[in-house]
């Protein structure tokens, strides 16, 4: 049974992991072992538990102990459950957005690229997408619109950052993902070849004159396809586009030159995930 501990002071050390440690500090807190991440809201915590993530502690608004967090507490077993009144918890950045519940969890071991792609036919590749809001939104679209997995290059924002998890509505725990490439080299040096070796054709999303439309019959008929999306602003690297099998565009109108990467991902996944 969980141990309920009431907090009366925002500066209590028990709140450090929720209020005062940065994302980077949480990620490296137990090195060389994996660090921690924070899941927010009962729905997201449920999805993390369903995925096998292991809880460390809970932080709840007091009224939720016998309310919307009751089932969460029961699922988490013998861990500390810190609780406080709303006026103390609102001093926590973002707590008002959490629907009354935060859970610190151990970061899971990431699977290999091969394991993530083993049974996948449609995957998304994120190249240097650095905004956690965009990463979370892309995951949500990927899960909803028939992508089987997501691969991220090393410069991408971490999908287990609080904002990314929150924006994804916990879908980062529902769709398989891992990182591809090495921080010390351009990911395309081996990454595109790796995808080809796994049987994927690669489609670079880019507005170029030699692009094919997103509904091109050859593209739609590919058995295994990796949809590659680039960083905010600059888009995909020229070397990535050059190494891909297709360069693909979403037709624009009214003089609009491009879509935000998260919006573009939803359009691409809807069209290319329908198979």
């Amino acid at each position: 049974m969980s141990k309920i501990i009431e907090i009366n002071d925002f500066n209590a050390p028990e709140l450090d992991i929720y209020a005062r440690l940065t994302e980077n500090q949480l990620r490296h807190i137990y090195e060389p072992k994996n660090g921690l991440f924070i899941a927010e809201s009962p729905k997201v915590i449920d999805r993390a538990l369903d995925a096998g993530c292991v809880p460390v502690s809970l932080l709840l608004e007091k009224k939720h102990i016998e309310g919307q967090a009751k089932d969460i507490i029961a699922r988490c077993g013998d861990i500390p459950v810190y609780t406080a009144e709303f006026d103390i918890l609102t001093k926590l950045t973002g707590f008002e957005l959490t629907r009354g519940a935060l859970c610190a969890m151990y970061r899971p071991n990431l699977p290999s690229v091969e394991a993530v792609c083993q049974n996948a036919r449609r995957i998304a590749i994120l190249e240097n997408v650095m905004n956690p809001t965009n990463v979370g939104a892309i995951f949500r679209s990927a899960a909803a619109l028939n992508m089987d997995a997501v691969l991220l290059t090393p410069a991408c924002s971490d999908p287990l950052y609080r904002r990314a998890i929150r924006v994804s509505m916990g879908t980062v725990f529902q769709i398989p993902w891992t990182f591809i490439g090495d921080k010390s080299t351009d990911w395309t040096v081996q990454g595109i070849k790796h995808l080809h070796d796994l049987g994927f054709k690669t489609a670079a999303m880019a507005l170029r004159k030699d692009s094919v439309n997103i509904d091109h019959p050859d593209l739609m008929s590919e058995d295994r396809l990796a949809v590659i999306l680039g960083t905010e602003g600059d888009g995909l690297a020229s070397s990535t586009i050059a190494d891909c099998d297709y360069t693909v565009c979403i037709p624009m109108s009214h003089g609009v030159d491009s879509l935000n990467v998260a919006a573009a991902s939803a359009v691409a996944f809807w069209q290319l995930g329908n198979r």
Side-chain angles (χ1 to χ4, degrees):
M1 174 178 281
S2 299
K3 182 180 180 182
I4 308 297
I5 303 169
E6 186 165 357
I7 301 292
N8 297 306
D9 179 6
F10 175 72
N11 294 311
E14 295 91 339
L15 295 183
D16 283 350
I17 60 175
Y18 296 104
R20 286 174 284 278
L21 296 187
T22 66
E23 299 276 15
N24 194 52
Q25 287 171 323
L26 286 173
R27 186 171 183 173
H28 298 288
I29 193 170
Y30 293 134
E31 285 188 332
K33 296 181 180 179
N34 295 344
L36 300 176
F37 69 89
I38 306 295
E40 305 182 356
S41 84
K43 177 182 285 188
V44 171
I45 296 168
D46 260 331
R47 287 179 172 173
L49 292 170
D50 289 343
C53 295
V54 178
V56 175
S57 66
L58 283 160
L59 177 65
L60 308 171
E61 188 180 349
K62 195 172 182 179
K63 69 179 183 180
H64 294 316
I65 292 175
E66 293 298 328
Q68 64 177 347
K70 185 176 181 179
D71 291 342
I72 294 290
I73 294 171
R75 291 192 66 185
C76 285
D78 186 19
I79 64 169
V81 177
Y82 303 113
T83 184
E85 296 293 349
F86 186 68
D87 59 343
I88 291 177
L89 294 181
T90 50
K91 296 178 182 178
L92 273 164
T93 302
F95 189 83
E96 290 179 274
L97 305 176
T98 68
R99 298 188 181 179
L102 296 171
C103 186
M105 294 181 155
Y106 291 110
R107 296 179 68 91
N109 293 319
L110 290 180
S112 66
V113 171
E114 289 79 5
V116 166
C117 295
Q118 184 175 7
N119 298 313
R121 293 188 58 209
R122 292 291 185 270
I123 63 174
I125 315 292
L126 309 189
E127 180 183 88
N128 304 342
V129 177
M130 292 175 279
N131 185 314
T133 298
N134 283 335
V135 169
I138 293 169
F139 265 85
R140 189 172 182 181
S141 293
L145 301 172
N146 298 309
M147 291 292 108
D148 300 313
V150 177
L151 301 177
L152 305 97
T153 65
C156 284
S157 180
D158 188 342
L160 293 183
Y161 281 175
R162 283 175 67 169
R163 182 176 293 276
I165 295 172
R166 182 169 66 230
V167 173
S168 82
M169 291 298 294
T171 55
V172 295
F173 306 114
Q174 294 180 305
I175 186 165
W177 64 271
T178 195
F179 287 95
I180 183 171
D182 187 292
K183 289 185 178 180
S184 63
T185 59
D186 179 351
W187 83 274
T188 59
V189 172
Q190 294 296 327
I192 298 292
K193 181 179 184 301
H194 197 172
L195 293 170
H196 286 153
D197 290 344
L198 291 171
F200 288 93
K201 290 296 182 69
T202 50
M205 300 299 301
L207 290 169
R208 290 166 57 117
K209 291 181 179 180
D210 58 348
S211 297
V212 299
N213 276 355
I214 196 169
D215 60 351
H216 192 282
D218 290 346
L219 185 67
M220 296 291 295
S221 66
E222 292 291 356
D223 183 54
R224 305 187 88 190
L225 187 68
V227 181
I228 307 179
L229 298 135
T231 186
E232 301 88 349
D234 293 334
L236 289 172
S238 297
S239 58
T240 301
I241 297 171
D243 288 342
C244 283
D245 301 294
Y246 297 93
T247 304
V248 183
C249 72
I250 299 169
M252 300 284 116
S253 63
H254 293 96
V256 177
D257 61 355
S258 64
L259 295 173
N260 165 272
V261 64
S265 75
V267 176
F269 299 162
W270 167 252
Q271 179 66 47
L272 299 174
N274 286 322
R275 55 191 189 278

